[in-house]
Amino acid sequence: MTRPFDPERDLSISRIIKAPRAAVWKAWTQRALFERWWVPAPARCQVVDMELAPGGAFVTRIGEEGGDFQPHLDACFLAVDDHRRIVFTNALTGGWRPAEQPLITAIIDFGDHPDGTDYSAHVMH
């Protein structure tokens, strides 16, 4: 599916990650791995909820400079297609509930590549 890109409101990145698609998928879907890479050090991530199914909650907290964890993302998975795609939005919270302050919808695609994983992320603001 081709998505129109709005340069004023969208962020899109594509990379070839030199790791198998299964490993990149695990980094997105296993809490402990996700917490290690989601935010740049020295910030820390805490996954509060990661229910990997349409309508499932996706809740993270961020800790900076040794401080307490603060709210970061309170979102809902729209699609979780095994090893292929993850789509989430913070326009909804878990259970398809409307959010108070929606900001993004993100589409994360994973594909095979001779050098590893063809990875792309399209975030619409």
Side-chain angles (χ1 to χ4, degrees):
M1 173 177 164
T2 303
R3 293 175 290 278
F5 182 78
D6 180 343
E8 298 293 320
R9 300 182 298 166
D10 292 1
L11 168 67
S12 188
I13 63 165
S14 295
R15 299 284 184 272
I16 303 304
I17 299 174
K18 293 186 181 211
R21 182 166 40 157
V24 179
W25 179 261
K26 283 180 184 179
W28 260 95
T29 59
Q30 291 184 3
R31 288 178 185 217
L33 295 176
F34 186 86
E35 289 178 340
R36 290 175 50 193
W37 74 266
W38 181 240
V39 297
R44 300 168 295 133
C45 173
Q46 178 184 59
V47 175
V48 176
D49 205 347
M50 183 184 262
E51 185 183 345
L52 291 159
F58 183 28
V59 181
T60 63
R61 302 290 179 250
I62 300 297
E64 296 189 66
E65 299 182 21
D68 293 337
F69 284 98
Q70 303 296 319
H72 178 249
L73 182 65
D74 191 352
C76 177
F77 287 106
L78 302 177
V80 180
D81 301 325
D82 196 36
H83 291 85
R84 292 187 318 266
R85 174 176 281 176
I86 294 173
V87 182
F88 64 91
T89 185
N90 69 350
L92 300 169
T93 61
W96 308 105
R97 297 285 178 191
E100 290 184 32
Q101 296 182 348
L103 178 65
I104 67 161
T105 297
I107 302 166
I108 314 301
D109 288 308
F110 309 81
D112 288 326
H113 187 277
D115 292 329
T117 302
D118 185 358
Y119 174 87
S120 67
H122 185 139
V123 182
M124 297 169 281
H125 295 86

